Amino acid sequence: MSVDTMSSDDLRDAMVDQLVADHAAKGLTMRPEVEAALRVVPRELYTPGVPMEEAYRSDTAVVTKRLGDETVSSVSAPWLIAEMLGQAADALTGGLHGRHVLEIGSGGYNASLLRELVGPSGSVTTVDIDPEVTERAVACLAVAGYGDVSVVCADAEQPIDLGRCYDLIIVTAGAWDIPAAWIAQLAEDGVLVVPLRTFGMTRSWALRRVGDRLVSHSQRLCGFVAMRGTGAHEMRYVDIAAGVHLRLDEGQQVDPESVGGLLSQPQEQAWAGVGLPPRSVLADLDLWLAARLADEVDQFVVLSAQQEAVDAGIVAPAWRFGTPAALHEGTFSYRSTLRWTDDTFDLGACAHGPDAAAAAGRMAGHMRAWVDAGEPSPVLHVLPAGTPDGALPAGTVLDKRHSRLVLTFTSA
Ligand SMILES: C[S@@+](CC[C@H](N)C(=O)[O-])C[C@H]1O[C@@H](n2cnc3c(N)ncnc32)[C@H](O)[C@@H]1O
């Protein structure tokens, strides 16, 4: 059957089959209740004006609002929604049934999946800062038969309904910090699922509340439109060469010309000397590198590049959409392309500048240490700003406006 002649039900089933297969390829298992909800909710009702086959692409978000060049609202990609719902259900003891949920960032689709998952004894509230988005969500939810989802227009940096607590808060915009309101609105053993940027890299973290702090249960690689309002936090890209960019956090400064100039200096390459199997997941390694390098180098940054710049040999990043990089005493280093031998690969680092051999060696050494330690995964601890150093767990500390984040690593 061609996609042109497939019904909504057929397209939806094909999408969910793909999502289940993608989960398996990543070593994840889709929870049956998440799969069941995905097979029921008609996604095309939340993407009016978009061809039905596009509404059922498992890997694409449907943009619903732009301001200039920037996408400010979308119906999130099904693969990401499915993974985040799975994270939520796994982290909540007893799962999602009967739970009271606050979704931050509305579109309607995810809220209706949540409505299916919590069942009649649960509730779903969705909040968006943008009245156009909430009006649209109200209309789409009504058409799809989910008129009992509460839709609120507000900046979610502040509490939505003073005194009300939720079992789950699921954030669907990219956050830089965890405002106090989110923790205050979580039930004692509640879960916050949030795409959070640490060291310039965003992961969807499922965090469980333990008293006044949160501790992570899982994390997934992800990308989201940025949080707006009082919690907005600028992320900038600076061009250092044709098609080569550095991603900088607020407050970070680099001189693009001098860093770009380093790229034309001779390159030193170092190897970790490891042999990893094909499906190894390196997202955890990138956070490990960030945590190790942040205290050692002048600046930890993220390098990204256009395919043309890679083809032209200007840079050779491990992942051109965002690879760990460091600037230290006039030398630039980054995690570089993998080196394959038969069916295993080695991890590399390359560097340019006066101390290039040492910088590449330092990065390769940290990568070898990660493999030697059993490829540990990050655990994120979120504590209120003002928590004294002595009360923090031992790990790499990242201070935000409202919270102190600590990254630790644990082997499976
Ligand atoms: C990716 S969209 C949400 C997708 C949606 N959950 C779905 O079902 O596909 C992100 C939304 O977050 C909203 N947003 C951004 N900052 C916000 C804030 N401070 N408070 C509430 N909503 C916010 C944006 O207006 C945007 O509509």
Side-chain angles (χ1 to χ4, degrees):
M1 206 186 320
S2 94
V3 287
D4 300 338
T5 57
M6 284 169 83
S7 69
S8 157
D9 290 353
D10 293 337
L11 285 165
R12 191 158 57 253
D13 276 336
M15 177 189 81
V16 181
D17 292 346
Q18 183 65 52
L19 292 172
V20 171
D22 291 347
H23 265 62
K26 290 183 185 174
L28 305 171
T29 306
M30 190 183 287
R31 291 176 69 106
E33 69 273 32
V34 174
E35 180 180 342
L38 287 162
R39 289 198 190 276
V40 166
V41 176
R43 191 164 190 263
E44 76 275 19
L45 298 182
Y46 299 94
T47 58
V50 169
M52 191 133 73
E53 59 275 19
E54 258 180 70
Y56 283 110
R57 286 191 55 174
S58 61
D59 58 352
T60 343
V62 173
V63 176
T64 48
K65 185 167 177 178
R66 283 195 174 88
L67 286 179
D69 289 344
E70 195 191 353
T71 297
V72 292
S73 193
S74 63
V75 179
S76 304
W79 72 268
L80 184 47
I81 286 183
E83 286 195 22
M84 290 175 76
L85 291 174
Q87 283 187 279
D90 287 345
L92 277 163
T93 313
L96 278 157
H97 193 79
R99 300 297 192 160
H100 301 284
V101 179
L102 174 65
E103 181 199 38
I104 294 176
S106 309
Y109 179 58
N110 191 40
S112 11
L113 292 168
L114 285 162
R115 195 73 201 81
E116 290 288 338
L117 285 159
V118 299
S121 56
S123 69
V124 178
T125 301
T126 182
V127 57
D128 203 288
I129 197 168
D130 189 330
E132 246 182 72
V133 176
T134 48
E135 277 164 30
R136 198 175 167 283
V138 168
C140 293
L141 284 161
V143 170
Y146 296 99
D148 57 353
V149 169
S150 304
V151 183
V152 179
C153 185
D155 182 343
E157 179 92 353
Q158 305 303 329
I160 304 308
D161 183 357
L162 278 176
R164 171 127 198 234
C165 269
Y166 298 92
D167 302 304
L168 169 68
I169 300 180
I170 185 161
V171 184
T172 62
W176 180 82
D177 197 0
I178 312 275
W182 297 357
I183 301 180
Q185 291 173 106
L186 263 190
E188 172 49 34
D189 55 355
V191 167
L192 171 68
V193 178
V194 57
L196 182 70
R197 185 151 38 102
T198 56
F199 303 106
M201 295 178 280
T202 303
R203 303 283 184 270
S204 166
W205 296 93
L207 299 150
R208 282 182 175 146
R209 181 174 175 175
V210 185
D212 65 348
R213 56 187 64 190
L214 305 169
V215 183
S216 69
H217 179 263
S218 67
Q219 79 288 333
R220 305 269 188 274
L221 198 59
C222 72
F224 263 100
V225 303
M227 190 69 72
R228 293 190 269 165
T230 43
H233 199 276
E234 192 196 6
M235 181 172 74
R236 283 176 303 131
Y237 284 88
V238 294
D239 298 343
I240 55 167
V244 185
H245 328 281
L246 294 185
R247 197 189 294 164
L248 302 181
D249 230 336
E250 208 168 79
Q252 281 192 308
Q253 296 292 341
V254 299
D255 173 6
E257 274 184 25
S258 64
V259 183
L262 289 173
L263 292 177
S264 53
Q265 292 189 21
Q267 174 185 300
E268 289 286 345
Q269 174 83 53
W271 295 101
V274 297
L276 293 171
R279 284 211 177 141
S280 305
V281 178
L282 300 179
D284 293 352
L285 167 67
D286 287 347
L287 282 178
W288 169 277
L289 275 180
R292 294 295 176 277
L293 290 169
D295 290 338
E296 286 178 4
V297 299
D298 295 339
Q299 294 206 73
F300 177 85
V301 292
V302 176
L303 169 71
S304 63
Q306 310 287 324
Q307 189 59 50
E308 295 74 31
V310 175
D311 293 343
I314 301 172
V315 283
W319 194 48
R320 67 180 188 82
F321 300 102
T323 204
L327 282 161
H328 189 60
E329 296 178 348
T331 296
F332 179 59
S333 56
Y334 60 90
R335 187 160 86 72
S336 59
T337 327
L338 310 177
R339 178 172 68 179
W340 286 87
T341 314
D342 299 325
D343 51 2
T344 62
F345 65 84
D346 196 358
L347 301 164
C350 66
H352 304 259
D355 215 7
R362 172 173 52 223
M363 200 176 268
H366 285 311
M367 296 195 274
R368 188 165 46 250
W370 179 70
V371 175
D372 288 347
E375 298 163 40
S377 292
V379 176
L380 182 68
H381 308 255
V382 181
L383 298 99
T387 305
D389 286 351
L392 298 176
T396 304
V397 181
L398 195 52
D399 280 312
K400 304 270 178 166
R401 282 185 202 126
H402 304 292
S403 51
R404 305 197 76 186
L405 307 184
V406 183
L407 263 188
T408 60
F409 285 83
T410 172
S411 294

